[in-house]
Amino acid sequence: FSPSPSIPAIGTVLADTPKLLYLVWQSTPMLLLLTIGITLVAALIPVGWLVVNKQIVDWIITNVGQDDIAWRVIWGLVGLRFALSLSTMGLNELKPHVTQVLSNRFALYANQKLLKQAIQLDLAYYESPEFHEILSRAQQSGSTYPVKSLGNFTTLLGQLVNFLGVLTLLLTFN
């Protein structure tokens, strides 16, 4: 199996990611931090579910037949579990909106930067069909590729944080 020339090698993609993230950072640092923050919180919520579920089971097992105080603690833990579920739903609703705003702002930033460079060129470039081809490709993919790369990076980061959190819990529970 040999990779297709149109599909970049994973090493190339990973090597370019810091540069692309820096480009997105230049355009909208707060939205980039918000996107990463949402990803990290969303990745840790399932770990919180596991902890709360374990606490619920432990409380029920150790306090069967006890007074009302034990049941209040259990209901509090169930409420916390419910709040974590609502948080997941909220984050799942919020992330696409933040991503869209980030994408739009980056597209404006990238197009503005591209046009600033283009107006500095000699008029001879504008007579070349190859230049128009390159300019067109830069306008089309230059404003979307870094945001797609950011999406892949945050997905990978979220999966890694989730995996490490669950692994830590499993080792702690055992």
Side-chain angles (χ1 to χ4, degrees), residues 19 40 51 74 77 88 90-91 102 109 121 130 153 159 169-170:
K19 293 179 228 170
L40 293 176
V51 171
I74 291 170
L77 289 170
T88 298
L91 290 173
L102 180 122
Y109 172 80
L121 297 173
E130 291 126 10
F153 171 74
Q159 294 297 319
L169 280 181
L170 288 175

Side-chain angles (χ1 to χ4, degrees), residues 27-28 30-31 99-110:
S27 69
T28 176
M30 294 308 292
L31 286 173
T99 302
Q100 186 62 50
V101 171
L102 180 122
S103 179
N104 291 342
R105 288 199 183 160
F106 181 77
L108 288 172
Y109 172 80

Side-chain angles (χ1 to χ4, degrees), residues 8 42 54 70 86 88 98 126 145:
K54 180 186 180 307
L86 287 178
T88 298
V98 171
Y126 289 95
Y145 183 71

Side-chain angles (χ1 to χ4, degrees), residues 27-91:
S27 69
T28 176
M30 294 308 292
L31 286 173
L32 176 63
L33 292 176
L34 183 60
T35 300
I36 292 171
I38 289 170
T39 300
L40 293 176
V41 170
L44 290 173
I45 286 177
V47 176
W49 289 344
L50 292 173
V51 171
V52 171
N53 288 345
K54 180 186 180 307
Q55 292 297 319
I56 291 171
V57 170
D58 288 349
W59 266 92
I60 290 173
I61 289 172
T62 58
N63 294 305
V64 169
Q66 297 290 326
D67 58 5
D68 290 339
I69 295 173
W71 285 105
R72 287 185 196 140
V73 171
I74 291 170
W75 283 114
L77 289 170
V78 169
L80 179 59
R81 175 62 171 85
F82 182 69
L84 287 172
S85 294
L86 287 178
S87 298
T88 298
M89 289 173 27
L91 290 173

Side-chain angles (χ1 to χ4, degrees), residues 4 6 17 25 38 48 50 61 78 100 123 138 150 162 171-172:
S4 166
S6 64
T17 298
W25 173 264
I38 289 170
L50 292 173
I61 289 172
V78 169
Q100 186 62 50
L123 288 176
L150 171 67
N162 183 269
L171 294 174
T172 303

